[in-house]
Amino acid sequence: MAASESGWCLCELLRFFYSLFFPGLIVCGTLCICLVIVLWGIRLLLHKKKKSMSTSKNGKNEMVIAFFHPYCNAGGGGERVLWCALRALQKKYPEAVYVVYTGDVNVSGQQILEGAFRRFNIRLTRPVQFVFLRKRYLVEDSLYPHFTLLGQSLGSIFLGWEALMQCVPDVYIDSMGYAFTLPLFKYIGGCRVGSYVHYPTISTDMLSVVKNQNVGFNNAAFITRNPFLSKVKLIYYYLFAFAYGLVGSCSDVVMVNSSWTLKHILSLWKVGNCTNIVYPPCDVQTFLDIPLHEKKVTPGHLLVSVGQFRPEKNHPLQIRAFAKLLNKVAESSPSLKLVLIGGCRNKEDECRVNQLKRLSEDLGVQEDVEFKINIPFNELKNYLSEATIGLHTMWNEHFGIGVVECMAAGTVILAHNSGGPKLDIVVPHEGDITGFLAETEDDYAETMVHILSMSAEKRLQIRKNARASVSRFSDQEFEVTFLSSVEKLFQ
């Protein structure tokens, strides 16, 4: 009797759900049709707006080329790519209108351009219009203590919407890695879209870190200790990687900055037919003016690090390795000083600098460690001209413009044994060594001891090899490969 009653209840439940299926299907279909109509209407309105904006005073239609770079006033390698790309396009398409979407609302457009000249020695030949975005806070990692990748990506859609509502371009190039804006500009804005990928938002390396339960700056210790949380995070990463691949595949042109980035983008976006390596531009020629002989204003050796003060740059490793180096060398050895040069984008970066200063104090090396923040290009050049060793410690650095600059300036580079430095930069040149790679604190300390113990002649030979190898990363090479890659967007 009980079995027949339970069977009857199950049948009734199935009948109930079946009765809801067709009405639910109709409602969902209606909502989808309404959404499509609304989006199509928005696209038509934006198309009219684009036509009115692209018409110049003399009645001619002008092409509008826009770059999405919310932090264009920062001083990192990504910003150098932006200004060099703009300069290259202005030379080839001088009649076009150029727009930069930026969230740097606390400065004027003129101040941004002056900052680009001061930091990168780049001056544009044509005017640039800046569209100032008020919702940049939506892509700040501090806003999302959990599910940061998802939060920032969704936030970038809203930021992209704000940008699109203010200016509808003909050609849209994401030059900072906000791939979730690509379908917005392509399908709603009706733009031809391209992207320059410095670093994939998620990579197979990140998946392996979570899968193997390894601690990292993006994988907290409490998650690695809990198998269940690790499984949940792995599922979240796989789902996010799938979504990232979908939005990335919307790009008509994809440029990546290194062999390492190429491997991951091909795996995730699967658009090999329109993907090219375009090495980022490094001001190689300016640094080549520095004489190679070891001419020191002060006695001793200077160790220099060049890179923004972001968590992934792993500046603490540099300070800890430097402290071990000081313990290894004899007191009678020449004095050693570590100078960390980099840009601060916001208060979070400034807090990291303060934490690094406290770490120096805790290790007792504060007298031998200096911090130089947002310094002018000429001052950077002066420090590199005096340095014996150039330090880099980021794991899986996508490329490493700072590494190239150090090599061009004539320092003996010591970079992390991964990513772009390992695959593209610190590689043998005509069979000769161009620098050194390391991973752990002990590796770095021991390699620094080895470099400093070399004769000046041996260091000079390594520096000559390094200089000869970096010409492929010059501004001129970037312009040629960049213009060749984006040509499809202008056909």
Side-chain angles (χ1 to χ4, degrees):
M1 184 69 179
S4 62
E5 285 183 1
S6 63
W8 180 82
C9 290
L10 180 61
C11 290
E12 287 297 314
L13 187 63
L14 291 173
R15 192 176 292 113
F16 171 71
F17 282 118
Y18 182 75
S19 67
L20 293 178
F21 176 75
F22 286 106
L25 194 62
I26 293 171
V27 170
C28 290
T30 304
L31 289 175
C32 288
I33 293 171
C34 290
L35 180 62
V36 170
I37 293 172
V38 169
L39 293 177
W40 185 255
I42 293 173
R43 174 167 174 151
L44 291 177
L45 289 173
L46 290 175
H47 182 68
K48 290 181 180 179
K49 185 177 180 181
K50 178 173 28 174
K51 286 186 69 176
S52 64
M53 286 185 62
S54 60
T55 304
S56 63
K57 293 179 181 179
N58 57 14
K60 292 183 179 179
N61 286 332
E62 295 178 326
M63 180 182 295
V64 179
I65 304 170
F67 284 81
F68 190 76
H69 208 105
Y71 294 91
C72 75
N73 198 40
E79 288 66 57
R80 194 169 207 289
V81 169
L82 167 68
W83 302 118
C84 285
L86 274 166
R87 183 174 61 184
L89 288 173
Q90 286 183 346
K91 289 179 183 177
K92 186 167 184 178
Y93 306 100
E95 301 303 320
V97 175
Y98 293 90
V99 174
V100 175
Y101 300 112
T102 177
D104 296 300
V105 296
N106 57 332
V107 292
S108 67
Q110 186 58 37
Q111 288 173 317
I112 292 174
L113 294 173
E114 289 172 357
F117 177 70
R118 186 176 66 254
R119 292 168 186 157
F120 306 119
N121 200 30
I122 296 173
R123 194 178 293 281
L124 300 180
T125 57
R126 306 286 299 172
V128 174
Q129 298 177 18
F130 291 92
V131 173
F132 292 94
L133 308 176
R134 302 286 171 180
K135 295 183 175 61
R136 190 176 71 178
Y137 64 89
L138 292 175
V139 296
E140 295 279 355
D141 56 359
S142 58
L143 190 64
Y144 312 100
H146 306 292
F147 298 98
T148 308
L149 295 180
L150 179 61
Q152 287 182 292
S153 298
L154 294 176
S156 72
I157 297 175
F158 288 100
L159 190 64
W161 181 262
E162 181 188 1
L164 189 59
M165 290 300 102
Q166 294 190 62
C167 174
V168 187
D170 296 288
V171 174
Y172 170 81
I173 299 176
D174 165 41
S175 53
M176 205 174 172
Y178 292 106
F180 282 77
T181 64
L182 295 172
L184 182 68
F185 277 83
K186 182 170 185 175
Y187 299 115
I188 306 299
C191 312
R192 297 185 293 278
V193 300
S195 56
Y196 188 96
V197 185
H198 299 275
Y199 195 88
T201 304
I202 190 168
S203 66
T204 53
D205 289 332
M206 292 169 65
L207 291 170
S208 66
V209 166
V210 178
K211 188 174 183 179
N212 298 328
Q213 296 182 247
N214 296 328
V215 178
F217 77 90
N218 60 348
N219 196 36
F222 76 91
I223 292 179
T224 62
R225 289 194 295 264
N226 189 312
F228 174 75
L229 290 179
S230 292
K231 289 271 194 302
V232 171
K233 185 169 184 177
L234 188 60
I235 292 171
Y236 157 58
Y237 266 20
Y238 274 118
L239 291 174
F240 182 85
F242 175 74
Y244 180 62
L246 285 180
V247 297
S249 64
C250 296
S251 191
D252 299 308
V253 167
V254 181
M255 293 163 283
V256 297
N257 64 346
S258 68
S259 303
W260 182 88
T261 308
L262 175 69
K263 182 186 80 168
H264 291 285
I265 289 299
L266 289 179
S267 172
L268 293 164
W269 291 13
K270 304 185 188 309
V271 284
N273 59 319
C274 62
T275 304
N276 299 293
I277 295 180
V278 179
Y279 288 128
C282 307
D283 197 1
V284 172
Q285 189 56 48
T286 300
F287 291 106
L288 293 179
D289 297 338
I290 299 173
L292 271 182
H293 60 276
E294 293 189 0
K295 180 181 177 182
K296 305 294 180 183
V297 175
T298 56
H301 292 285
L302 189 66
L303 291 76
V304 170
S305 161
V306 180
Q308 285 184 311
F309 289 102
R310 303 202 308 261
E312 62 268 26
K313 295 297 183 180
N314 203 358
H315 288 95
L317 174 57
Q318 297 176 10
I319 296 174
R320 290 194 294 266
F322 180 69
K324 289 191 174 183
L325 168 65
L326 293 180
N327 290 330
K328 288 176 178 289
V329 298
E331 292 185 5
S332 58
S333 299
S335 62
L336 301 174
K337 184 173 284 292
L338 172 64
V339 179
L340 287 81
I341 302 172
C344 280
R345 303 163 299 173
N346 47 40
K347 290 183 178 179
E348 286 76 14
D349 287 354
E350 292 172 4
C351 288
R352 290 186 190 100
V353 173
N354 292 330
Q355 291 171 357
L356 292 170
K357 289 179 179 178
R358 286 195 292 271
L359 176 61
S360 301
E361 293 172 0
D362 294 340
L363 295 173
V365 296
Q366 68 273 18
E367 297 298 324
D368 300 306
V369 177
E370 289 185 12
F371 295 84
K372 298 295 177 180
I373 302 167
N374 296 332
I375 63 174
F377 179 80
N378 285 335
E379 190 174 350
L380 165 65
K381 186 176 176 181
N382 288 336
Y383 273 107
L384 289 179
S385 69
E386 289 296 313
T388 302
I389 297 176
L391 273 182
H392 164 274
T393 48
M394 178 178 170
W395 173 71
N396 270 345
E397 170 80 82
H398 40 294
F399 179 72
I401 286 182
V403 176
V404 174
E405 290 176 343
C406 286
M407 293 170 70
T411 69
V412 179
I413 192 66
L414 174 54
H416 198 279
N417 188 27
S418 63
K422 177 182 179 180
L423 297 175
D424 294 305
I425 305 174
V426 191
V427 295
H429 175 69
E430 297 180 356
D432 295 321
I433 185 172
T434 58
F436 297 88
L437 300 168
E439 294 184 37
T440 66
E441 293 174 30
D442 290 330
D443 288 343
Y444 274 93
E446 290 171 5
T447 307
M448 284 188 283
V449 170
H450 173 63
I451 295 170
L452 295 174
S453 65
M454 286 179 174
S455 65
E457 291 75 18
K458 179 63 175 176
R459 284 197 295 266
L460 178 61
Q461 187 57 52
I462 294 174
R463 293 155 67 207
K464 285 181 177 179
N465 299 337
R467 271 200 171 176
S469 72
V470 297
S471 59
R472 57 210 163 101
F473 306 126
S474 66
D475 288 0
Q476 293 75 20
E477 286 293 323
F478 170 81
E479 287 192 7
V480 171
T481 53
F482 176 79
L483 290 174
S484 173
S485 297
V486 300
E487 190 174 7
K488 180 181 177 181
L489 298 175
F490 301 93
Q491 292 174 348

